[in-house]
């Protein structure tokens, strides 16, 4: 049951390529499937479900890659906390060295995959209301579509800033085909509207299938409100309270809990349950996850995968910033420094760095070279830390705020935080978030909304602009956004490049 959405996405991808005029007779009684249009397609409940499954599929596109790197690495190298042995991955290297350009293919994938998801969501939201079907099911499906559209826009506005805001289906004759950029505030207004509408759509709080749930909606809303409280909108206490309230609704639901062991975080048997609130879905041998070769050391012959790229591993100075007693840096908890040889599993190989065990599928690497490990987009640990941070901004370090952050520290076998001032608690929570959610595409977003960066040498936080990475480069104001891809600027004269690019 918990993997059912994977199969449904496969069906949707084979049977529905919305907006391209391609369809499948499995869904439609059409004599010429190549002539399928949105008007002819949206007729049944099955069509509605298939349309929404197609929106999920675009979540996968930024996770792929091999010797050329992968788009998800973009947000990690931008933090200054990641190293790589993949010399030919120019897209990674220019970000890591803060010499990024608008020609970077990673940014193009984020842009394209997000707008593909938005286009499919717009089609679903516009057409599903007219389908004759159970109204309760219809509302739930529309709730999924609105959540996913909000998620795509949330990534776009944080990565690129002011971007085109398109909420209706478009084609080659549409006035909005070459849209101008919308203000960041107006984009956030649509994100919040979509999520609050989805919140009232009747979705279950948690169901283990991998589909959007009420818990995922409230969790994403808490993150959105937290970001709106900070930069660039700086809405302050009102939105910190909104973030804390939404996070508390998730906590109080008792639908989610931290896994007892870190091993559960990268065990495919735990996909979509427990701590995993919302994930990108994969299935071994059908549509396997692509990142295993990226988190394996370069050609150390430890894995069943033929590609072993060393594309990303933890910066040593960052690992050293953890408390020496922190369980997360113990061998094969969050990171691994040794592994057995694929030629002789009794032989241990020293890898020369701290590689990302939290993303490591053991069975795939030992045996199958095909992984169905999902990628976490929202996990419960983040919700606890959102609550701790946001509630502290409103009321100082309350007992509930301490309980939230200490739940994470207890699993890490660290002593409870206590007796801190508001300012001390704030930085303690930030540090916990940097250490707990490392290399999960969260840290850079926090750096930008806070305008702060973590000094791995001093263990303190300093201004984003002027922060020097441990290996040399210094952040400037331009790194608060990524550049709009060159192809988009060429294709749409109404777009204006972000400053500094």
């Amino acid at each position: 049951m918990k993997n059912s959405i994977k199969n449904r996405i496969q069906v949707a991808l084979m049977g529905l390529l919305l907006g391209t005029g391609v369809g499948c007779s499995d869904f439609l009684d059409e004599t010429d499937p190549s002539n399928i249009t949105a008007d002819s397609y949206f007729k049944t409940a099955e069509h509605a479900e298939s349309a929404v499954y197609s929106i999920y599929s675009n979540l996968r596109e930024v996770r792929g890659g091999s010797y050329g790197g992968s788009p998800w690495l973009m947000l990690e190298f931008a933090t200054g906390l990641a190293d790589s042995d993949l010399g030919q991955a120019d897209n990674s290297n220019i970000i890591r060295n803060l010499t990024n350009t608008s020609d970077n293919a990673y940014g193009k994938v984020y842009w394209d995959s997000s707008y593909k998801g938005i286009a499919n969501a717009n089609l679903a939201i516009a057409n599903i209301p007219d389908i004759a079907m159970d109204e309760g099911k219809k509302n739930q499906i529309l709730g999924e579509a609105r959540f996913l559209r909000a998620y795509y826009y949330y990534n776009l506005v944080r990565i690129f800033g002011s971007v085109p805001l398109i909420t209706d289906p478009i084609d080659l004759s549409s006035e909005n085909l070459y849209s101008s950029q919308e203000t960041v505030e107006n984009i956030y207004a649509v994100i919040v509207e979509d999520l609050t509408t989805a919140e009232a759509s009747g979705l279950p709080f948690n169901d283990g299938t991998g589909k959007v749930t009420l818990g995922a909606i409230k969790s994403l809303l808490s993150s959105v409100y937290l970001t709106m409280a900070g930069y660039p909108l700086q809405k302050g206490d009102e939105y910190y309270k909104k973030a804390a309230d939404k996070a508390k609704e998730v906590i109080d639901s008792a639908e989610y809990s931290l896994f007892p062991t870190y091993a559960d975080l990268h065990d495919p048997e735990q996909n979509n349950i427990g701590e995993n609130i919302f994930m990108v879905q994969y299935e071994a041998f059908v549509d396997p996850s692509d990142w295993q070769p990226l988190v394996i050391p370069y050609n150390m012959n430890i894995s069943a995968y033929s590609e072993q790229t060393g594309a990303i591993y933890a910066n040593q100075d960052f690992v050293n910033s953890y408390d020496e007693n922190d369980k997360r840096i113990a061998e094969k908890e969050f990171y691994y420094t040794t592994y057995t040889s694929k030629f002789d599993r009794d032989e241990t190989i020293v890898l020369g760095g701290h590689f990302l065990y939290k993303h490591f599928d053991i069975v795939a690497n030992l045996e199958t070279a095909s992984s169905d490990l999902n990628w976490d987009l929202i996990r419960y640990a983040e919700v606890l830390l959102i609550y701790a941070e946001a509630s502290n901004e409103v009321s100082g370090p309350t007992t509930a705020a301490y309980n939230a952050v200490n739940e994470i520290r207890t699993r890490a076998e660290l002593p409870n935080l206590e007796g801190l001032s508001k300012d001390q608690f704030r930085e303690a929570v930030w540090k916990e978030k940097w250490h707990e959610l490392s290399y999960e595409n969260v840290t850079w977003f926090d750096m930008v909304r806070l305008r702060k960066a973590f000094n791995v040498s001093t263990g303190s936080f300093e201004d984003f602009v002027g922060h020097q990475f441990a290996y040399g480069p210094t952040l400037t104001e331009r790194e608060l956004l990524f550049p709009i891809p060159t192809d988009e600027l060429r294709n749409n004269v109404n777009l204006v490049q972000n400053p500094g690019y």
Side-chain angles (χ1 to χ4, degrees):
M1 181 63 176
K2 67 184 179 183
N3 290 328
S4 64
I5 192 176
K6 298 180 182 181
N7 297 327
R8 300 305 295 271
I9 289 174
Q10 289 298 322
V11 172
L13 289 176
M14 290 186 289
L16 179 64
L17 295 175
L18 290 174
T20 66
V22 179
C24 176
S25 58
D26 287 345
F27 295 117
L28 296 169
D29 293 324
E30 293 280 343
T31 56
D32 183 0
S34 66
N35 289 330
I36 292 170
T37 65
D39 288 339
S40 64
Y41 184 83
F42 289 94
K43 300 298 183 184
T44 70
E46 289 76 15
H47 296 164
E49 291 183 355
S50 182
V52 172
Y53 287 131
S54 73
I55 311 171
Y56 285 93
S57 68
N58 299 111
L59 296 172
R60 294 172 169 164
E61 295 181 32
V62 300
R63 312 294 163 197
S66 57
Y67 279 101
S70 175
W72 71 268
L73 301 181
M74 180 176 91
L75 300 181
E76 298 305 332
F77 288 118
T79 68
L81 302 176
D83 290 338
S84 177
D85 289 333
L86 190 55
Q88 65 265 48
D90 292 339
N91 293 315
S92 294
N93 294 330
I94 62 176
I95 294 171
R96 186 174 182 272
N97 295 325
L98 301 184
T99 56
N100 193 23
T101 73
S102 61
D103 293 325
N104 194 313
Y106 293 168
K108 176 67 170 166
V109 174
Y110 268 101
W111 183 283
D112 287 350
S113 63
S114 296
Y115 275 113
K116 287 176 187 175
I118 289 165
N120 281 340
N122 287 344
L123 279 166
I125 292 166
N127 289 282
I128 289 174
D130 293 332
I131 296 177
M133 58 182 292
D134 178 82
E135 288 299 314
K137 183 63 175 177
K138 180 190 293 185
N139 288 336
Q140 289 183 342
I141 290 173
L142 287 168
E144 292 176 64
R146 284 187 175 270
F147 170 93
L148 292 166
R149 184 170 70 177
Y151 178 81
Y152 289 122
Y153 269 123
Y154 189 37
N155 273 345
L156 285 170
V157 74
R158 290 182 296 169
I159 292 171
F160 300 109
S162 178
V163 296
L165 179 62
I166 303 166
T167 56
D168 296 310
I170 60 172
D171 56 31
L172 293 178
S173 64
S174 298
E175 292 182 3
N176 290 329
L177 185 60
Y178 299 106
S179 295
S180 299
Q181 288 145 289
E182 186 55 84
T183 66
V184 168
E185 180 140 16
N186 285 347
I187 294 168
Y188 272 103
V190 169
I191 292 169
V192 170
E193 180 184 6
D194 272 349
L195 290 175
T196 52
T197 300
E199 196 175 18
S201 66
L203 287 166
F205 213 104
N206 185 15
D207 71 2
T209 65
K211 294 168 61 177
V212 174
T213 61
L214 184 56
I217 296 165
K218 290 180 181 294
S219 298
L220 187 59
L221 257 177
S222 71
S223 176
V224 170
Y225 287 143
L226 185 71
T227 300
M228 293 176 74
Y231 290 93
L233 297 182
Q234 294 183 277
K235 289 185 174 292
D237 286 351
E238 178 186 356
Y239 279 76
Y240 280 121
K241 186 176 188 309
K242 287 175 179 284
D245 288 346
K246 284 300 165 193
K248 192 169 189 301
E249 288 176 26
V250 177
I251 295 168
D252 289 348
S253 75
E255 291 283 346
Y256 307 98
S257 60
L258 296 182
F259 288 126
T261 71
Y262 296 124
D264 292 321
L265 290 175
H266 56 104
D267 180 359
E269 291 298 316
Q270 306 300 324
N271 285 343
N272 307 321
I273 60 175
E275 190 168 344
N276 298 318
I277 296 177
F278 188 62
M279 311 182 83
V280 186
Q281 306 295 306
Y282 296 94
E283 186 170 8
F285 304 107
V286 177
D287 195 352
S289 55
D290 295 335
W291 67 81
Q292 293 304 308
L294 303 172
V295 301
I296 304 168
Y298 181 70
N299 284 352
M300 297 292 280
N301 292 320
I302 68 166
S303 173
Y305 284 91
S306 58
E307 291 181 323
Q308 301 175 40
T309 70
I312 184 171
Y313 56 96
N315 180 277
Q316 185 63 53
D317 295 289
F318 176 66
V319 174
N320 293 343
S321 73
Y322 284 77
D323 187 292
E324 63 180 0
N325 297 314
D326 195 322
K327 186 177 182 180
R328 290 170 291 199
I329 59 167
E331 181 67 15
K332 293 183 179 60
E333 298 293 349
F334 272 18
Y335 311 103
Y336 69 113
T337 63
T338 65
Y339 211 72
T340 58
S341 168
K342 72 176 181 179
F343 303 116
D344 180 0
R345 290 302 178 187
D346 292 326
E347 177 189 353
T348 298
I349 297 176
V350 177
L351 306 177
H354 283 75
F355 291 84
L356 309 184
Y357 205 61
K358 60 160 61 175
H359 295 315
F360 188 91
D361 185 332
I362 296 171
V363 172
N365 279 286
L366 285 177
E367 302 171 13
T368 65
S370 188
S371 174
D372 57 1
L373 180 63
N374 289 348
W375 179 280
D376 250 313
L377 295 179
I378 307 171
R379 67 179 174 99
Y380 184 60
E382 182 176 5
V383 175
L384 290 170
L385 290 166
I386 288 173
Y387 176 75
E389 179 185 348
S391 64
N392 179 62
E393 295 303 322
V394 176
S395 307
T398 63
T399 298
Y402 273 117
N403 288 343
V405 66
N406 285 336
E407 189 173 343
I408 291 169
R409 289 177 63 84
T410 295
R411 183 170 62 174
E413 299 182 357
L414 294 173
N416 286 345
L417 298 176
E418 58 183 1
L420 302 180
S421 68
K422 182 176 183 177
D423 291 344
Q424 290 171 330
F425 186 86
R426 176 189 298 118
E427 290 211 6
V429 172
W430 290 350
K431 187 173 181 180
E432 206 63 49
K433 198 172 188 186
W434 256 247
H435 285 161
E436 176 66 26
L437 300 175
S438 59
Y439 311 104
E440 295 184 39
N441 283 181
V442 174
T443 302
W444 183 79
F445 289 133
D446 282 333
M447 290 170 63
V448 171
R449 74 172 174 85
L450 295 169
R451 298 293 195 265
K452 294 290 183 182
F454 182 53
N455 186 313
V456 294
S457 298
T458 65
S460 60
F461 288 84
E462 56 196 26
D463 289 343
F464 181 103
V465 176
H467 168 73
Q468 186 175 20
F469 291 169
Y471 51 87
T474 299
L475 289 169
T476 65
E477 190 170 358
R478 91 165 193 157
E479 278 82 41
L480 291 168
L481 293 171
F482 283 90
I484 294 173
T486 299
D487 286 351
E488 299 305 318
L489 295 169
R490 289 173 178 163
N491 293 334
N492 184 355
V493 296
N494 294 317
L495 296 181
V496 178
Q497 184 58 280
N498 286 323
Y501 294 102

